[in-house]
Amino acid sequence: MIEPRATKVLVIGYVWPEPRSSAASGHVMQILEVFLEQGWDITFSSPAGFGEQRADLTALGIGEVPIELNNSSFDTFISELAPDIVLFDQFMMEEQFGWRVEKYCPDALRVLESCDLQSLRQGRHQRLKERLKASEDNNDFSGLFAPASREEFEHMANTDLAKREIASFYRCDLTLMVSEVEIELLVEQFRIPRSLLHWCPLMVDLPAGAPVEYEDRAHFLHIGNFRHAPNWDAVLWLKTAIWPLVRAQLPDAQLHIYGAYTPPKATALHNAAQGFHVLNWAEDALQVMSKTRVCLAPLRFGAGIKGKIVDAMLCGTPNVTTPVGAEAMHDQEPWPGAITRTAREFADSAVRLYQDKAQWLVAQAQARHLLSSRYPQSTHGPALIERLIECQRHLPQIRRDNFTGSMLRHHQHKSTQYMAQWIEEKNRNQAHTL
C-alpha cells in the first residue's frame, strides 16, 4: 500500500523570519510550528537578504530556498516543488509572485498571512501627523483613539496602499487575520466576504512555573523593533511627554528601552541621568521582560495585535498601553494593567502599577486568564489546519463564488506579469552589455 505523501507547503516571506525582532515574524513561526505538527513538508523562500537575527529554519526541518523578484527561475522552482498550499507572508509577496503561482501551480491553495492591516496603520499614522501639525499639545491624544469604523474606512479608502492590499485579499483563497477588529472593518466597510477571512491571532500556551515575584522585579521597560514606525513614535512620546511625568513622581525610576535595529536617532535619546536608557537589542526578550515590573507600550497608532504585550503577559508583567495597543486583544476580558488616552493618565497609571503590589498582582492574574482564554495555540492551531483542509476540499467552489477575486487576478496578474517580464528582459540585456 502506498502511503499518502505529506502536504507540501511553500511559504513566500517578505523577509526571513526573525521572531526575536518582530511580532510579525513570531506569528509566522507559530504558523510554521502548527504545520510541522501535522508532519507537513515545508519550504520557506524569500527574495530578501538574510538578517542577523533570522531563525534557523533548517534546524526545524524546513527547507530554505532564496528566490528573486522578476526572474523566471521561480517558475521552474515552483513547478518542480508542486506545493499543495502557498502561503504569502504579507500582501506584497502575493503581488509579486501570485500570478506565477496561479500559472504554474493552479491547484495550489493560495493563502495570505496578514500580520496587520497595513493601510489601517498608514491611515492612523497620517491622522497622527495631522494632529501633531495642528497642535503643540503633546499630552492628550484621546481624539485619535475613538474613531468609528466608517471614519477609519474613509481615511483608508482612497489610498493606493488600501487598494493594493484589499485587492490582494480578494485574489487569495483565504487570508489569515490576527485582529477581529480588522476583520469587522473589512467585512462591514470594504465588503469583503467573511468566508475569505480567518481569525488567527498570536498563538501561545501558558509557560510552566510561576512568574518572577513582585519584589524580585525592578524598572520599567519598553521593547519593539525600531524599523516599525509605531515603536519609534512610542519612544518619542515616552521621551518628550510621559517619562518626565513618571520621574516627577518616582525620581529614581529607570526605563529600559530595547529594540532590534536601533538607529543613531534612538541612541541619541539615551540619558542615564534621566533614567532613560536606550539599550539596543535584547538577546532574550522574555528573560528581560520577566525581570521588569511594568511594561510600557504608549502606541499612538498601529494595527494588528501587539507581540510585546503578549510577551508581557507571558512573563506575568503588567502593562500600560493605549486603546490602539489594546485593540482586538482582550474582547470583554479585564485588561492586565491599564488602558490610557493621555500622557498624564499613562504616567499616573504606570506609577500606581509600579508601587501598588495588590493592583499589580491582580493585573498579573488577569494576564494569565486572558492568555489561556484567547491565545492558546492548542485551540487556534487545530482550527487553522481544519480551515485550510476545508478550503482545499472546496477550492473550486470558493473560487467560483469569489468572482471579484477572479476578475482582479485576470487584470492585475496580466499587468504584473508583463511588467515582471519586461524588467527581467531589461535586466538580462543590461547583464549582457557589461
Side-chain angles (χ1 to χ4, degrees), residues 310-347:
V310 170
D311 285 348
M313 289 191 285
L314 282 169
C315 297
T317 306
N319 75 87
V320 184
T321 189
T322 65
V324 168
E327 183 178 84
M329 294 201 65
H330 66 121
D331 195 22
Q332 302 301 314
E333 301 282 352
W335 186 252
I339 302 172
T340 64
R341 295 172 178 269
T342 71
R344 171 58 68 184
E345 287 179 5
F346 196 104

Side-chain angles (χ1 to χ4, degrees), residues 57-326:
L57 298 179
T58 57
L60 299 174
I62 298 173
E64 294 184 345
V65 180
I67 53 179
E68 294 184 39
L69 298 173
N70 306 310
N71 194 312
S72 57
S73 61
F74 179 86
D75 306 341
T76 302
F77 159 65
I78 196 170
S79 297
E80 294 176 350
L81 184 66
D84 303 294
I85 299 173
V86 176
L87 177 69
F88 302 101
D89 170 31
Q90 301 193 34
F91 80 89
M92 295 82 78
M93 293 298 95
E94 187 278 333
E95 284 185 327
Q96 289 290 336
F97 295 99
W99 69 270
R100 295 183 185 273
V101 171
E102 181 172 21
K103 183 175 182 179
Y104 294 98
C105 289
D107 296 328
L109 181 70
R110 296 186 292 272
V111 182
L112 176 62
E113 193 278 326
S114 174
C115 58
D116 64 9
L117 196 53
Q118 295 186 35
S119 50
L120 175 61
R121 170 159 39 93
Q122 181 195 60
R124 288 173 169 173
H125 195 182
Q126 184 59 37
R127 290 177 60 223
L128 173 62
K129 291 178 181 178
E130 293 168 359
R131 161 66 174 75
L132 292 172
K133 186 176 181 180
S135 173
E136 295 181 357
D137 179 13
N138 202 23
N139 175 58
D140 188 352
F141 291 89
S142 55
L144 293 174
F145 298 139
S149 60
R150 184 65 188 178
E151 184 180 349
E152 298 277 28
F153 170 77
E154 290 172 354
H155 277 91
M156 298 165 61
N158 290 327
T159 66
D160 289 343
L161 183 60
K163 292 170 184 175
R164 291 171 54 200
E165 190 170 27
I166 302 305
S168 182
F169 291 0
Y170 269 110
R171 288 193 298 267
C172 290
D173 302 312
L174 186 69
T175 295
L176 311 183
M177 303 293 300
V178 299
S179 166
E180 292 169 304
V181 170
E182 292 174 12
I183 289 177
E184 294 308 312
L185 178 64
L186 291 171
V187 171
E188 298 298 328
Q189 301 299 328
F190 288 94
R191 306 302 184 191
I192 291 182
R194 195 178 295 272
S195 60
L196 295 179
L197 306 173
H198 177 75
W199 180 48
C200 182
L202 298 181
M203 299 180 284
V204 297
D205 288 318
L206 286 174
V212 178
E213 296 183 358
Y214 174 86
E215 289 83 4
D216 296 326
R217 296 170 179 249
H219 310 316
F220 296 90
L221 174 141
H222 171 80
I223 191 166
N225 189 324
F226 280 102
R227 288 181 176 175
H228 192 53
N231 293 332
W232 168 237
D233 177 74
V235 171
L236 289 178
W237 197 26
L238 278 167
K239 177 70 174 182
T240 59
I242 296 171
W243 189 243
L245 296 174
V246 172
R247 287 277 286 193
Q249 300 179 64
L250 298 175
D252 296 326
Q254 304 291 310
L255 171 60
H256 294 170
I257 297 175
Y258 294 91
Y261 303 104
T262 309
K265 65 181 180 180
T267 54
L269 300 180
H270 176 86
N271 189 318
Q274 297 174 354
F276 198 90
H277 302 272
V278 179
L279 300 172
N280 210 320
W281 183 70
E283 182 71 28
D284 187 333
L286 293 181
Q287 184 182 44
V288 169
M289 187 79 77
S290 295
K291 297 177 180 179
T292 299
R293 189 171 290 181
V294 177
C295 173
L296 307 181
L299 297 163
R300 293 189 287 191
F301 71 98
I305 59 178
K306 313 307 180 290
K308 62 177 67 64
I309 293 178
V310 170
D311 285 348
M313 289 191 285
L314 282 169
C315 297
T317 306
N319 75 87
V320 184
T321 189
T322 65
V324 168

Side-chain angles (χ1 to χ4, degrees), residues 382-418:
L384 173 59
I385 296 300
E386 182 180 349
R387 186 66 186 277
L388 293 176
I389 292 174
E390 179 186 9
C391 287
Q392 286 181 296
R393 187 178 298 127
H394 301 290
L395 188 55
Q397 180 181 343
I398 290 171
R399 290 180 176 172
R400 184 172 60 250
D401 292 345
N402 182 18
F403 179 78
T404 300
S406 176
M407 178 176 61
L408 288 168
R409 288 198 310 274
H410 173 77
H411 291 287
Q412 195 271 350
H413 282 174
K414 288 297 182 184
S415 61
T416 303
Q417 174 183 347
Y418 297 146

